[in-house]
Amino acid sequence: MKVSLEWLRELVDIDQSAVELAETLTRGGIEVEDVEDLNKGFEKVVIGEILSLTKHPDADRLLVCAVNVGHEEVTIVTGAQNLLTGDRIPVALIGANLPNGLSIKKSKLRGVVSLGMLCSREELLLDDTVGLDRSLDGILILPSTAPIGESFGHYLGLDNSVLDLELYPNRPDCLAMVNVAREVASLTQKKPHLPKWADQSQVLSLPVATDLRIIIEDQDLCWRYAGLMVEDVHIEPSPEWMQRRLKAAGVRPINNIVDITNYVMMEMGQPLHAFDREKIKGDVHVRAARSEEKIITLDNVERTLNPHTLIIADDTQPLAVAGVMGGLDSEVTETTKSLMIESAHFSSVSVRRTSRRLGLRSEASNRFEKGIDVSGIVAALGRVCDLLLDLGAGRPVAFVDEVKQIPPRRQVTLSTEHTSTVLGIELAVSEIHQVLEDLNFEYQENDGLFQVEIPAYRSDIEIEEDLMEEVARLIGYDRIPTTLPQGDQTQGRRTPEQEFRRRMRKVLAQSGLDEVLTYTFTRAEADAQWGSAKHSIPLLNPLREELGVMRTSLIPGLLDVAARNVARRNTDVSIFEIGNTYWGDEQPLKKLPKEELRVAAVAVGKSDRHWFNQSSSYDFYYLKGIMEAVAHEFGLKLEYRLAENQSLLHPGRSADIYLQNECIGFLGEIHPSLEKEWGLERAVLFELEMEPLFKKIRQTVRAHSIPRFPAIQRDLAVVVGVETSAEAVMSKIRKLGGNLLQHVEIFDVYTGKPIAEGHKSLAFTLRYQSLERTLTDEEVSLLNSRILEGIQQDFGAERRK
C-alpha cells in the first residue's frame, strides 16, 4: 500500500517528517518498507520564461536563450527547435541532479557560457500528460499560467513523499487511506478529520431504483451488492489534484469516472466498478459462470470461464468477473451518459482462485482477497456521490442495495489484570482507557474489566489477546522489559519416545530400507481404502485436488512414491516412513484431531546384484524378516494371523500382526486387483502403530546362560481340517509343552493324496531342553503324547503315519 504523505496530511495532523512517521508506524506494528521522495531530482529545477532566442554565432543548430528564472536572468545554450519567445519551460540550474541521473554544471558551448539546461520530458522522466503538444521531441513546454521561478517539483505536486507499507494479511484495513489515518492518529494521539462517509452510520439519501433489480444467486460467495444510478454523465479528465494522488498511490489516471472509483477505493478501501447503464439488459445477476461461458475483459482478451468463477451478468451476457476485472462490452466510454456503479462484498477465496486462474491481479482483487468490510459498502457509494457532484461528473439519482448477510459486531472482554500479566508490566486502568480512546473503540468499564465493541473495519481483532496487542502497540513495545530466560540448566537428552523412534529408524535402515517423507495430505479415495473414511479430515483449501484430506494411513503416500520410481525404470524400491496420521472424531472439527504415530514400508521389484549376495525378489518373507528384526531389537514377540482385509491384501500372502493379542498392523502383498490401479506388480508392504510397540518394549536386557545340558528334538505331523490355522495349532503346542518346550517351528504343510480331501498335513519340529538337568526319552515322549492328545481334542487332529 503506497501512502501519499500529502494526502495523509489532509486526513490527520502530522508534525513529523516522512522518515519520522515511517519510524512511528513501524514501531506501532505497521511496517514501512520504503520512503520515496517524489521531489528527488527536482530540487534545483524551476519554471523559467524565455525572454529571447538568438542564433549561436559559431553553430547553426544551437540557440542562445535568455531565460527569466524568477530571481535572475540566465543564459542557456540549447539545440531544441520547438521553442518560442515567451514559452514557459522547466530549467535545471547549476548543481541539479536530474531524475535520469544527469548532473548539471557550468559549461561553455562553442565559446558561449551556459548556466543551466532546458529540460525535456525524457530528462525529467515524465509521461506525455505533462505539458503542451509542442513538447513532443523537444523541450517540455508548460502552460502560460505556470508561475515563473516556482519549484518545478512543487508545480507538479511532487513536493511529497510516499510511504510504502508492507502489510500482512491480518491488517487489510490499512489498504484504505482513512484507516491509515486512524492508525497514525492512534499512534501520535492526534484527532483524525475524515470524510463524513468514514462514519458508516451515515445514510445515503437517495430513492431506491425501480428500474433495476439485483439478484444474488449464491449468497455464500456474495454477501451484499449495491448499485448507484448516475445520470447526466460528463466524461473528461479528472482534476490535477486527484490525478496527483492516484499517481502517488501507483494508480494510472484514466478519466473522471474511473478515477473517482479508484480514488474512493484507495481512500475507503472498498473496490468499485462503473458500468455503462445503457449496456445492461434487464436485471443484474451475481452468479457462477456457466461451463465454457466467455467474456472479453477490459484488457481486450477473451477469457473462457468455468462454474467456479463468480461473475456479474445481465439477463443475456456476462458483464464482469466479480472482484477481478470488468467486461469490455459494458465499459465506460466517452459516449456514456448514465452509469451503474457497483459496490459489493465478494468471497475472498473465490476472488483469489479466480485471479490466479485467469492470471489477473489488481488493486481491487488484492483488497477482495484479503477481505473487505461488508458494512462499508453503501458508505463508499456515498463518498462517490460527493465526488461526482463536486467534479460535475454526473448526477446520482437512485441506488439499490441487496443484502444477504452482515456479520454482527464483535464484543471482546479485556481485563487490566490479565493484560498486565501477559505483557509483563504493571498497567493502570487509566492507561487502558487512553488506549481505547486513541483507537476510537466504544467500550464500557467495570472494575478494570472492559467490554469493548470492535469496529467492523478491524477484522483482525477477535479475542482478548488481540486487544492486548493493541495495548502493547500503543503504549510502546519499549515499555515491555527485556529479560533473559531463567531456569536450571540440565544436560540435553532425548526423550524415551525420541530414542525409540531413532532406534526404529536405525533398524529399518540397516535392513536395507530407504527412508522417505511424504505429504501429510493425500487423496480421499486412497485414504478411504487404506485408512478410515469416517475419520479422515477434508481440507477447505487444499494445495491441489489429489491432496484433499489429512492422511489416516501412511500407505497411499508410499505407494505413490513407489509407483513414480517404477514408472522411471527403478526396479529396486524398498522404502519406509515414520510419521503421524490424523484422526478426526467429527465434521467439522471442533477440537484438534488425534495424532497417531505409525511406521510403514513398501517394497517392489528385486534387490541389486552384489558380488557377495545374489539378487532376490522382494516378497512377503522379505518384510516379515524385517518385522522379526524389529521385534528382536525391542524384545517383543509378534504373532501373525490371517489378514482380515482380504480386499487390499493377497489372501494367501498376508497377515495381521498381533502383539499380546492386540492387532497393531498388517503385512502382506498388495491384492492383484489393485496392481493396475497403482502401476505396481507384487508390491509388499506393512504398517504398524508405534504407540503399542513403545509401551511394550523390553526396557531391561535379560541375559540367559548357555544351557549346559543337551536338547532333544522331536518331529510331530498331524492331519487337520483345511480351515484350521497352523498358528492356532502352534499356540496350543506351546501351551501344552510347558517350560521344557523351548522352541516349536512348522516345517511342512501338505495337501493331496494320501491326505483325505478337505484336510491338510502339518509337520512341526519341537525342541525340548532343561537348564537344570538332562532330559530322558521317557519325559519327552510323555510330553509329546500329551501335546498330541491336546490338539486331537481341540482340533480333531489325527497323527499322520
Side-chain angles (χ1 to χ4, degrees):
M1 172 70 177
K2 294 183 179 295
V3 175
S4 164
L5 189 59
E6 174 260 336
W7 191 353
L8 190 60
R9 289 185 191 278
E10 183 184 279
L11 301 173
V12 63
D13 295 326
I14 300 174
D15 51 14
Q16 296 176 309
S17 68
V19 174
E20 291 171 338
L21 181 60
E23 178 69 16
T24 298
L25 285 169
T26 301
R27 285 180 175 273
I30 306 297
E31 183 179 346
V32 179
E33 185 176 13
D34 186 35
V35 178
E36 180 185 1
D37 183 4
L38 297 183
N39 198 39
K40 187 176 182 180
F42 294 95
E43 290 87 348
K44 290 193 174 183
V45 181
V46 299
I47 297 174
E49 180 185 29
I50 296 180
L51 300 177
S52 65
L53 292 168
T54 58
K55 186 178 179 183
H56 193 288
D58 292 330
D60 294 337
R61 293 183 174 274
L62 296 180
L63 296 174
V64 179
C65 307
V67 183
N68 176 16
V69 293
H71 58 283
E72 63 177 331
E73 180 181 320
V74 296
T75 299
I76 297 176
V77 179
T78 181
Q81 303 299 312
N82 66 326
L83 297 173
L84 298 175
T85 301
D87 281 347
R88 304 211 174 168
I89 36 77
V91 180
L93 302 177
I94 293 173
N97 293 301
L98 299 183
N100 70 344
L102 184 63
S103 297
I104 306 304
K105 301 178 181 178
K106 181 179 178 180
S107 61
K108 183 181 287 187
L109 298 176
R110 297 288 184 94
V112 178
V113 175
S114 181
L115 302 177
M117 188 180 79
L118 308 183
C119 301
S120 67
R121 288 170 176 158
E122 290 75 15
E123 289 151 348
L124 299 175
L125 302 182
L126 299 174
D127 56 41
D128 56 10
T129 62
V130 181
L132 305 180
D133 293 339
R134 278 197 298 120
S135 305
L136 187 65
D137 299 326
I139 299 302
L140 174 59
I141 311 299
L142 302 175
S144 59
T145 56
I148 298 172
E150 182 175 300
S151 165
F152 186 60
H154 180 74
Y155 171 74
L156 291 180
L158 299 178
D159 189 13
N160 186 19
S161 296
V162 174
L163 280 63
D164 192 357
L165 307 185
E166 179 68 22
L167 297 178
Y168 297 101
N170 67 318
R171 291 306 302 269
D173 57 298
C174 286
L175 288 169
M177 287 295 299
V178 294
N179 291 331
V180 175
R182 287 184 172 115
E183 191 69 23
V184 172
S186 299
L187 293 169
T188 59
Q189 294 188 322
K190 303 289 186 180
K191 194 71 176 176
H193 22 270
L194 308 177
K196 69 175 184 179
W197 293 104
D199 179 3
Q200 297 173 358
S201 63
Q202 295 286 332
V203 178
L204 187 58
S205 301
L206 286 174
V208 176
T210 58
D211 60 340
L212 182 71
R213 283 195 311 157
I214 305 295
I215 303 173
I216 300 176
E217 298 184 12
D218 192 336
Q219 65 182 19
D220 291 332
L221 300 183
C222 179
W223 290 1
R224 188 177 188 181
Y225 192 101
L228 177 68
M229 310 304 156
V230 183
E231 300 289 349
D232 303 331
V233 175
H234 179 58
I235 305 293
E236 62 181 4
S238 55
E240 186 273 336
W241 63 266
M242 181 176 283
Q243 293 192 36
R244 184 174 68 246
R245 290 181 176 180
L246 289 175
K247 288 178 182 177
V251 178
R252 180 174 64 90
I254 298 175
N255 59 50
N256 55 351
I257 298 300
V258 176
D259 291 354
I260 285 173
T261 61
N262 286 333
Y263 186 88
V264 173
M265 175 182 66
M266 304 304 296
E267 184 179 59
M268 308 285 288
Q270 171 63 49
L272 305 166
H273 184 69
F275 296 92
D276 190 322
R277 176 68 181 87
E278 296 177 358
K279 297 177 182 178
I280 300 176
K281 300 174 177 62
D283 299 325
V284 172
H285 301 260
V286 185
R287 61 172 174 84
R290 301 184 180 95
S291 181
E292 300 300 314
E293 196 167 15
K294 299 183 184 298
I295 184 175
I296 300 176
T297 47
L298 289 173
D299 55 0
N300 204 25
V301 175
E302 184 179 72
R303 303 183 185 276
T304 301
L305 309 175
N306 64 36
H308 299 292
T309 304
L310 188 68
I311 64 169
I312 312 302
D314 59 16
D315 290 342
T316 62
Q317 63 178 351
L319 301 175
V321 180
V324 179
M325 185 173 285
L328 192 65
D329 292 340
S330 59
E331 74 167 330
V332 176
T333 65
E334 294 180 356
T335 62
T336 297
K337 297 301 179 186
S338 61
L339 301 170
M340 186 201 76
I341 299 179
E342 162 198 282
S343 180
H345 177 283
F346 301 123
S347 163
S348 58
V349 173
S350 173
V351 173
R352 185 183 303 114
R353 289 177 176 173
T354 299
S355 177
R356 289 182 180 179
R357 185 163 53 245
L358 299 180
L360 293 173
R361 299 279 296 177
S362 65
E363 290 285 351
S365 67
N366 181 41
R367 283 162 173 77
F368 278 120
E369 288 177 18
K370 289 181 171 59
I372 62 167
D373 176 13
V374 67
S375 303
I377 284 173
V378 173
L381 292 180
R383 180 62 172 146
V384 170
C385 290
D386 287 352
L387 290 173
L388 286 171
L389 295 174
D390 291 345
L391 303 187
R395 179 172 56 89
V397 294
F399 87 107
V400 60
D401 182 19
E402 182 69 15
V403 181
K404 291 301 182 183
Q405 56 177 309
I406 297 181
R409 295 288 286 271
R410 299 183 301 281
Q411 300 279 342
V412 177
T413 301
L414 179 67
S415 165
T416 304
E417 182 181 357
H418 190 199
T419 302
S420 299
T421 301
V422 171
L423 297 185
I425 54 177
E426 192 64 34
L427 291 170
V429 174
S430 58
E431 291 181 283
I432 307 292
H433 274 286
Q434 186 60 52
V435 167
L436 297 177
E437 291 291 340
D438 291 340
L439 290 169
N440 201 27
F441 287 1
E442 296 180 7
Y443 65 92
Q444 293 181 346
E445 184 262 334
N446 182 20
D447 195 23
L449 199 64
F450 292 82
Q451 192 69 27
V452 185
E453 183 169 313
I454 309 301
Y457 60 83
R458 287 301 301 270
S459 60
D460 59 309
I461 301 178
E462 295 182 346
I463 58 177
E464 184 180 13
E465 283 71 17
D466 294 332
L467 277 178
M468 291 179 188
E469 183 181 0
E470 296 299 300
V471 173
R473 289 194 316 115
L474 267 65
I475 67 172
Y477 290 117
D478 53 347
R479 278 193 56 185
I480 300 176
T482 302
T483 57
L484 292 174
Q486 294 181 349
D488 296 332
Q489 292 186 349
T490 59
Q491 180 180 2
R493 60 185 301 175
R494 299 183 186 91
T495 65
E497 292 86 350
Q498 291 173 329
E499 188 62 36
F500 169 66
R501 193 181 306 190
R502 183 182 179 89
R503 288 173 61 190
M504 175 69 76
R505 184 176 286 110
K506 183 177 179 180
V507 171
L508 296 176
Q510 288 178 339
S511 299
L513 300 178
D514 297 317
E515 185 176 13
V516 298
L517 295 175
T518 64
Y519 284 116
T520 55
F521 313 127
T522 187
R523 288 183 291 114
E525 299 81 4
D527 192 66
Q529 265 187 336
W530 295 96
S532 170
K534 176 182 176 182
H535 295 95
S536 67
I537 304 166
L539 303 180
L540 294 178
N541 188 23
L543 294 172
R544 50 182 187 268
E545 187 176 351
E546 58 269 27
L547 300 176
V549 299
M550 299 188 75
R551 67 189 182 188
T552 57
S553 171
L554 303 180
I555 295 297
L558 292 177
L559 288 176
D560 282 334
V561 173
R564 281 195 295 272
N565 276 268
V566 169
R568 288 159 179 78
R569 307 290 184 181
N570 181 7
T571 58
D572 178 11
V573 179
S574 54
I575 55 178
F576 78 94
E577 180 176 12
I578 299 174
N580 282 331
T581 57
Y582 305 87
W583 298 69
D585 294 329
E586 69 232 329
Q587 296 295 340
L589 288 179
K590 296 180 181 177
K591 59 181 180 180
L592 291 176
K594 178 185 177 184
E595 297 186 28
E596 287 188 2
L597 185 66
R598 296 193 174 195
V599 57
V602 170
V604 60
K606 57 184 179 179
S607 62
D608 288 337
R609 288 187 298 175
H610 190 268
W611 67 271
F612 187 71
N613 293 317
Q614 292 184 349
S615 175
S616 61
S617 297
Y618 296 130
D619 57 11
F620 174 88
Y621 296 102
Y622 169 74
L623 286 188
K624 184 174 181 290
I626 294 176
M627 284 288 92
E628 291 301 319
V630 169
H632 179 75
E633 171 69 20
F634 297 109
L636 302 172
K637 188 169 183 62
L638 301 178
E639 297 180 24
Y640 303 91
R641 303 179 186 176
L642 289 176
E644 294 184 1
N645 199 341
Q646 300 289 336
S647 63
L648 297 177
L649 301 175
H650 193 292
R653 302 169 189 160
S654 60
D656 286 336
I657 302 174
Y658 282 77
L659 179 61
Q660 296 181 9
N661 289 323
E662 178 186 357
C663 184
I664 62 169
F666 57 85
L667 162 69
E669 185 178 307
I670 192 171
H671 197 283
S673 64
L674 298 180
E675 291 181 351
K676 186 176 181 181
E677 176 184 339
W678 292 97
L680 299 171
E681 185 176 350
R682 298 200 66 174
V684 289
L685 47 87
F686 73 76
E687 183 174 39
L688 297 177
E689 299 174 26
M690 293 279 278
E691 185 177 358
L693 290 175
F694 174 70
K695 287 181 177 179
K696 296 171 183 177
I697 60 175
R698 188 170 12 180
Q699 301 292 345
T700 58
V701 177
R702 295 181 180 178
H704 296 278
S705 62
I706 298 175
R708 296 172 52 196
F709 305 100
I712 297 178
Q713 184 169 307
R714 292 283 191 270
D715 290 344
L716 177 64
V718 294
V719 177
V720 296
V722 292
E723 72 280 357
T724 302
S725 71
E727 175 62 31
V729 177
M730 289 175 67
S731 296
K732 187 65 175 179
I733 292 173
R734 292 191 189 99
K735 183 177 180 181
L736 295 172
N739 295 331
L740 295 180
L741 181 61
Q742 297 294 315
H743 180 70
V744 59
E745 182 178 353
I746 185 170
F747 68 87
D748 182 58
V749 178
Y750 176 75
T751 57
K753 294 181 179 180
I755 306 301
E757 187 176 350
H759 291 74
K760 62 183 177 182
S761 170
L762 302 177
F764 302 94
T765 293
L766 289 72
R767 188 175 74 237
Y768 300 93
Q769 190 174 29
S770 172
L771 301 177
E772 301 171 351
R773 58 190 174 84
T774 301
L775 297 178
T776 64
D777 286 340
E778 290 77 10
E779 288 179 290
V780 173
S781 298
L782 184 61
L783 276 174
N784 248 14
S785 299
R786 187 168 62 184
I787 289 171
L788 179 59
E789 291 175 2
I791 59 178
Q792 285 176 336
Q793 182 177 351
D794 285 7
F795 303 105
E798 295 180 3
R799 185 165 188 167
R800 184 178 174 185
K801 299 178 180 180

